[in-house]
Every structure is written in structure tokens, then in C-alpha cells.
Amino acid sequence: MTIKRALVSVSNKEGLLPFAEKLASHGVEIISTGGTKKALEEAGIPVIGISEVTGFPEIMDGRVKTLHPKIHGGLLAVRDNETHKQAMHENEIAPIDLVVVNLYPFKETIAKEDTTFSDAIENIDIGGPSMLRSAAKNHAYVTVVVDPKDYETVAGELESVGSVSEETRRRLAAKTFRHTAAYDALIAEYLTAAVEEEHPESFTVTFEKKQDLRYGENPHQKAAFYANPLAGSLSLTNAEQLHGKELSYNNINDADAALSIVKEFSDPAVVAVKHMNPCGVGTGSTVLEAYTRAFEADPVSIFGGIIASNTEIDAETAEKLAEIFLEIIIAPSFTDEALEILTKKKNIRLLKLDFTDGKGIAKKVTTVSGGMLVQDEDVYGLDDANVTIPTKRQPTEQEWKDLKLAWKVVKHVKSNAIVLAKDEMTVGVGAGQMNRVGAAKIAIEQAGERAKGSALGSDAFFPMDDTVEAAARAGVTAIIQPGGSIKDEDSIKKADEHGITMVFTGVRHFRH
């Protein structure tokens, strides 16, 4: 389709002037509005104001300017339909062959901390989406561009063949409907949150592609990484990669799991993750202490793992990290000396991430065949729980520290889950077992002698007293679990029999 007339109105003016110059050089008449018109005029590019076309002024602070039959008639007319042609002739409507529009910056507006509700509403574009949808619907005759990256394609086809191919018009139309759908989804998400609607009749969200991935969980699976455009800063999608190979699908999953655990802690903490489960968690007064404990928790499984630290990586810690093979290290920052040490390892990925924002409750979405499940992220902590101690013995100060660590970590271990903690580190992790005592046996076996005097955390209640019995034989002295089983009394009696203190939280932390 040849292009004789174009409507150009953009908030993102990247690449606008060179593209408009090429259109003008091909004899294309350009219609424009507001700031776009001013930019074209200042560049000496011939342009016609929208009011000259409609014969009607822009009114209501620019809210009404393009919603006019002479605009939408020019966009929607089927060019070889005699009735449409007659209507255009009778109403003096000229066809518009190209629409170059991108929308008011709604996403950027609501991302600002000081944005008011009225500011957000004012940045909902009406005319722009209407023109885009009209042009995209009529792409058999109209070319529509929403992304400056496509300027070169359209200009190239005009240069080479004097028109835009049907294939390109159709591809650009599909992109346009994705663009307007994403725009509307952001607005819907914002307004739904504003009225505190938790589970509306339809769930509209949008994600923007961050990168194509080499493959998914396995080489025969195609994959890509998408980001929530409104994600808080403490999200892997906002990480700055300082060094190393491109992230893989499994890297991203594991790194997200490590991040979700380490953000539980305010004191220096280091988390090591393998296959979505923590293999070692350590805390301390310094990042080196925390890493040393995370490493010693499981020096075998940490090999090839993901490390997340909530504290800057210094040179001394970097020296230790460089001694083993690691896939990724995530931290809020790295000293110059630490970077010099770690970047000597060619393949390690180093990710820098802002840890200041991550307290809000997000929605967790899980896909199932033909649908999806939506729930609040599990941010329930021990401070929120109604803690009771049904056993005869109360925890000591040290046992409380160990119990709190076990409870923070077990929440992030695949169910059924058992975690043993002692002296600011995990010493045993039992994950993803079909019965609870099986998870306990794995954690106890991993801990070995370190199980003596440790605290045991369970993600759910004990259906019978066999887990307490296994813990007692291993030398565990404190247990934290939700409680709520019809056989709680059996577990309490067993704990009292062995002098174990047991804490009930009333909160379950299943993780499937």
C-alpha cells in the first residue's frame, strides 16, 4: 500500500525526526498534534495541525482532539468498498494511510512515588488507543507503528518498493494490539488495586519481554524471560548484570529462589541455592561470616550453586567465593577489589540489585493446564504468628535464635520440608518428600553430629509423633512447627519425654 498521508503523534520522540524527514521526502503529508507538531515544525518538516483536518479545535485541555469522523473515517474506510468511498466523498474525508502513535506515559507516571490518583487518571490516553485500534483493524489498507524500532522497516520498504507489504502491515497490527492490550492491562491493574478488589472477575496483567533465552529447563524447550513493568526494585528483573554469561532459564529460577530467602533477613545473610531449594544459609556480623556458615552448611551441594547476599561483597569474601565454581552471585554491591577478583572467572554471573524495596505483598501466579492459580506471596513471618509453647520446657535464648532461623528458611523449602539450624546456620535440609518423617531423616542425615543441640523447623504440622522421635534420637533440642494436628498431643508428650521444647506458630508454610 502506498502512503500518501500520515498521522503522527508520539510521546516517545526517539527517532521521530529522521523518520518524519524520510516520510516528507517521499511526498507524504503529515498530520500532527501538540508537542509532536511543534517538534516537527522546529525541525522544518512540513506538518498540518489536526484542527486543520477536522475543522474543530482541540478542546478540554487536549482531551478531545482526534476523536472525530474525519480522523477515524480516514482510518477505518475500506478503500475498495463503494459505500465507504461514497461516504468519504460526501463528508470530505481523506484517507489516512499511516498512523505513528505511542501513548501517554501511564506506566512511568504511576511508577513515581509522588504520583497522585488524579495524575494517574490524567495520563490515561483515550485518543491514542482509539486511533491505533482503528488503524490496526484496517491494516489491509493502513500501516500502524507504535514502536520507534519499526521506523527503519517502514522507511526501508518505502525506499525500496514505494509501499509497505501486507506481511509487514499485519505484523505491525498484531504488535499494536499487544501494545494497547498491555496499556489497558496496566490501567486495569492500577485501578483494581486502588479499589482494593482482590480477586476480580477477570485477571489482567501484562509483562514486557526482557530477553530471549537459549532454552528452557531443558535444551529442547524454547523460553523467554518477561518482566512485570511495575515490579519493585527488589526483583530479579531489575538486576544489573556486571559480568558473566547470559542468564539461563534455570539460573533465573534458582536466583529468584535465593533472592526470596535472603530478603527475609536484616542482618548480614548469605543463601546458597541448588535446584530451587536452599542448600545452605548463614548469618553473621559480617558478610564473610555469613558466607562461611552458608558454605559449611553443605560444602558439597553449594558447588555449581547460586549465592545471594543482602550485604556488599568485599575482597575477603570474594577470595573465598572464587575458590569454588558458582553460577551466580547476587548482592546489593561489590567493592572494586571484589569485582577485580571475581571477574577473573570468565563464566560466573555477577548481579547487582537494589535491596531497599521489597516489602510489599505481591501476587504469586502459577500456571496449570488451561488456567492459572493466583495467591498472595507468603510474607507471613514469626512476628505475625500467634506463638504458643505447649511443652513443659521453654526455649533458651540460643534455641530461640536457632528456631527463628529454621522458621525463616523452611518457608522456602519445597514441601514436605524440614530444616535444622544451629549457631547462625542451617545444618540440615530435607526437601520435597512425600512424608514428613522422610524429610526429617534426610535433614538429620545431612547434619550428622551437628544435629545435636540444633533446632528443627517444619513447614507443616506433624501428623504423628514419629518426626519428634527421629529428632530426639539425633539430639535435636528445640522444634518449631504450626501445630493443629488431631494428634498434636502425641507430639507434645513425645517432646516432653525427651526434654525437647516445642513452639507452635499456628501458621503453615506449604511450598509446592
Side-chain angles (χ1 to χ4, degrees), residues 33 40 54 58 93 123 145 151 174 195 213 226 239 249 251 265 279 312 328 349 359 437 466 468 473 481:
T33 66
L40 295 175
T54 63
E58 295 184 23
I93 297 173
N123 276 276
V145 180
Y151 291 167
V195 298
L213 301 174
Y226 288 81
Y249 182 98
N251 287 157
F265 298 89
C279 56
E312 181 177 67
I328 300 173
R349 290 92 160 174
K359 302 298 183 184
V437 71
D466 50 2
V468 180
R473 287 197 302 269
Q481 57 128 325

Side-chain angles (χ1 to χ4, degrees), residues 130-153:
S130 299
M131 290 188 291
L132 290 176
R133 289 173 60 84
S134 292
K137 175 178 179 175
N138 205 28
H139 67 269
Y141 307 95
V142 181
T143 301
V144 57
V145 180
V146 294
D147 187 348
K149 293 176 184 176
D150 294 313
Y151 291 167
E152 187 177 344
T153 298

